[in-house]
Amino acid sequence: MPDFQSILEIIQQDAINALDKGSVATYIPELAHIDINNFGIHLRTSDGNDYGIGDYNKPFSIQSISKVLALAKAMALIGEDTWKRIDVEPSGHPFNQLALLEIENGIPRNPFINSGAIVIADILVSNLKNPKKDFLNYVRDLTGDDNINFNIDVAHSEKITGFKNFAAANLLKSFKNLNNPVEEVLDFYFHQCAIEMTCEQLTKAFFFLANKGTCMLNKTRLSKPQAKRINALMLTCGFYDEAGEFAFEVGLPGKSGVGGGIVALLPDNYIITTWAPGLNKKGNSKLGMLALEEFTSKTKLSVF
Ligand code: GLN
């Protein structure tokens, strides 16, 4: 077994020394003042050992990482019907690109680009009694931690600047792939993205995907084939037009968010979450990707 703690220490040192840390997302104004020097990693092995380094216990905006948990909830609610409204192909384009959606008649390429995540949000708004409250409780339950909340300022900040997400939702509506009002679906979507969690909480929340659908509290949240499908989607689509690069360099299913977080996992082995708020040009955490590349190279633990 590799010496995980010393490997995390080396990775942290390399991150501290990195000359180019990327740049913090500014298109959501409330995220613009996060200190770029934050850096944390949390690792949990399937046999129950935890390792943490740096700021792994500081909450941050999970942003698009939430799309995985929203998809899991939608699949648990409506199963295969999910795929009548969303495809499962990598888009090869940025997360907020709209051209493909128009060309492909309102069927988003996958559930992790924004248009796909907005369709998932629509499914949750239709199928949950109190969508925001119920989804937050779902995330708390997966994590086994009630101390997880929305950051209302981040949700509001995105609402007043989210012109492309409004454009995507309106386009979906024009193709009849949105059943609820645009305002209502986006209010839910902005809140799901504005959930704040620590690296450690995210690692726990994603445990079920590395554990055949059974969560930390030993409850079945998805079937084994459903967990397999989500992992396949994370591997092929989790990093938008950088999904190939992430598979090439890191070799794990994973999902990034513009808050600078990345969760990645090796089924039946481990879950790892990194947080480094500086992003590269594709909107993925620059040092997070480097850290994970270093981690799978040093431990030789990837899917390939
Ligand atoms: N809330 C963000 C948006 O919709 C999520 C994007 C991301 O994390 N890639 O633009």
Side-chain angles (χ1 to χ4, degrees):
M1 180 121 91
D3 180 353
F4 289 120
Q5 195 65 38
S6 335
I7 290 173
L8 295 189
E9 278 161 23
I10 297 168
I11 294 173
Q12 182 191 37
Q13 208 44 55
D14 291 345
I16 290 168
N17 295 338
L19 295 176
D20 182 2
K21 293 183 162 50
S23 34
V24 170
T26 50
Y27 79 101
I28 302 174
E30 200 61 32
L31 295 182
H33 40 74
I34 306 293
D35 181 358
I36 197 162
N37 293 310
N38 282 295
F39 184 85
I41 307 181
H42 186 266
L43 166 74
R44 185 180 178 89
T45 57
S46 293
D47 51 16
N49 291 314
D50 283 289
Y51 306 85
I53 198 101
D55 302 307
Y56 72 93
N57 257 327
K58 259 197 206 175
F60 61 91
S61 195
I62 68 170
Q63 293 296 321
S64 286
I65 296 172
S66 68
K67 293 170 179 172
V68 182
L69 304 178
L71 172 64
K73 185 67 192 169
M75 285 171 73
L77 287 165
I78 68 161
E80 291 299 291
D81 284 351
T82 312
W83 312 117
K84 291 184 181 152
R85 297 175 58 185
I86 307 170
D87 205 348
V88 294
E89 294 297 336
S91 72
H93 287 284
F95 61 84
N96 57 2
Q97 204 244 30
L98 294 178
L100 268 184
L101 186 64
E102 167 101 71
I103 294 167
E104 295 179 348
N105 301 318
I107 301 293
R109 272 286 172 107
N110 66 66
F112 297 151
I113 52 173
N114 284 10
S115 55
I118 291 169
V119 172
I120 295 290
D122 187 49
I123 292 170
L124 296 183
V125 168
S126 294
N127 288 280
L128 295 175
K129 219 165 158 202
N130 299 299
K132 286 189 274 189
K133 187 165 162 265
D134 294 355
F135 183 69
L136 186 60
N137 282 336
Y138 172 71
V139 176
R140 288 173 172 174
D141 177 72
L142 278 177
T143 315
D145 190 337
D146 284 344
N147 196 19
I148 297 173
N149 288 296
F150 300 117
N151 181 325
I152 306 295
D153 294 337
V154 172
H156 181 69
S157 181
E158 190 165 357
K159 190 176 206 158
I160 55 179
T161 53
F163 304 111
K164 279 203 99 168
N165 285 323
F166 277 95
N170 277 291
L171 203 49
L172 288 164
K173 192 89 181 155
S174 76
F175 283 108
K176 304 205 176 345
N177 200 4
L178 204 76
N179 297 330
N180 297 286
V182 164
E183 288 282 343
E184 205 179 321
V185 176
L186 287 182
D187 181 60
F188 176 86
Y189 172 75
F190 295 142
H191 278 80
Q192 89 169 48
C193 290
I195 290 176
E196 288 190 335
M197 291 169 80
T198 66
C199 292
E200 183 168 5
Q201 287 171 330
L202 277 167
T203 296
K204 288 183 177 166
F206 274 64
F207 179 81
F208 74 124
L209 294 173
N211 192 39
K212 304 179 181 74
T214 301
C215 75
M216 292 283 294
L217 302 178
N218 213 18
K219 292 185 221 156
T220 303
R221 291 294 169 230
L222 286 181
S223 68
K224 191 179 164 195
Q226 285 176 320
K228 180 188 90 175
R229 292 192 153 176
I230 295 188
N231 288 333
L233 283 166
M234 284 202 284
L235 184 76
T236 52
C237 311
F239 293 77
Y240 320 113
D241 46 340
E242 211 171 27
E245 177 80 12
F246 191 79
F248 186 83
E249 298 288 351
V250 179
L252 294 173
K255 186 73 204 79
S256 61
V258 293
I262 298 179
V263 185
L265 59 94
L266 181 61
D268 303 318
N269 260 277
Y270 66 85
I271 307 102
I272 185 166
T273 305
T274 59
W275 178 42
L279 308 179
N280 64 20
K281 290 205 164 56
K282 310 262 172 156
N284 299 315
S285 169
K286 177 147 186 120
L287 295 185
M289 283 186 65
L290 284 175
L292 290 167
E293 187 274 319
E294 217 174 325
F295 183 79
T296 54
S297 300
K298 284 195 181 352
T299 59
K300 302 192 175 50
L301 290 172
S302 81
V303 293
F304 302 111

